Amino acid sequence: MTYEELKAEADKLGYGLIKRKEYVKFKPCPKCGSTGNRDCWYHSSVGPFYVCKKCRWKAKPAKTMAAAKRNWNDGIGYEEDAK
């Protein structure tokens, strides 16, 4: 069955096909290495970002929660952008 046939069959039954969202698992804090000690904060004009409760390291804000998690995991922070 091709994608178009599947899409037509789902449409007949009243369903839609959507892409699965990727699951992003947290890594430890890039600065201090603590695990599970993070808060989600929101920047008023950009969106969510994560802050380590132990060392107060801040990840870069993003438009979505998954992108904010990726910024945390990649170690992209405010301090790097300020320099």
Side-chain angles (χ1 to χ4, degrees):
M1 182 179 273
T2 66
Y3 175 74
E4 294 301 324
E5 292 171 347
L6 183 62
K7 189 175 178 182
E9 191 65 32
D11 192 37
K12 276 192 252 177
L13 296 173
Y15 292 96
L17 300 177
I18 59 170
K19 189 174 182 178
R20 287 186 189 169
K21 294 180 182 180
E22 81 173 283
Y23 176 74
V24 181
K25 185 176 180 181
F26 279 111
K27 292 181 180 176
C29 175
K31 189 173 181 183
C32 69
S34 68
T35 58
N37 292 326
R38 67 188 78 73
D39 280 332
C40 182
W41 291 4
Y42 289 88
H43 191 275
S44 59
S45 62
V46 182
F49 64 96
Y50 288 93
V51 178
C52 179
K53 289 181 183 178
K54 189 174 179 183
C55 68
R56 308 307 278 175
W57 183 82
K58 296 175 188 149
K60 187 176 179 184
K63 293 194 183 266
T64 64
M65 295 295 283
K69 285 181 182 180
R70 274 188 242 109
N71 286 348
W72 173 273
N73 289 341
D74 294 341
I76 302 172
Y78 280 151
E79 294 82 16
E80 295 172 358
D81 295 339
K83 291 180 184 177

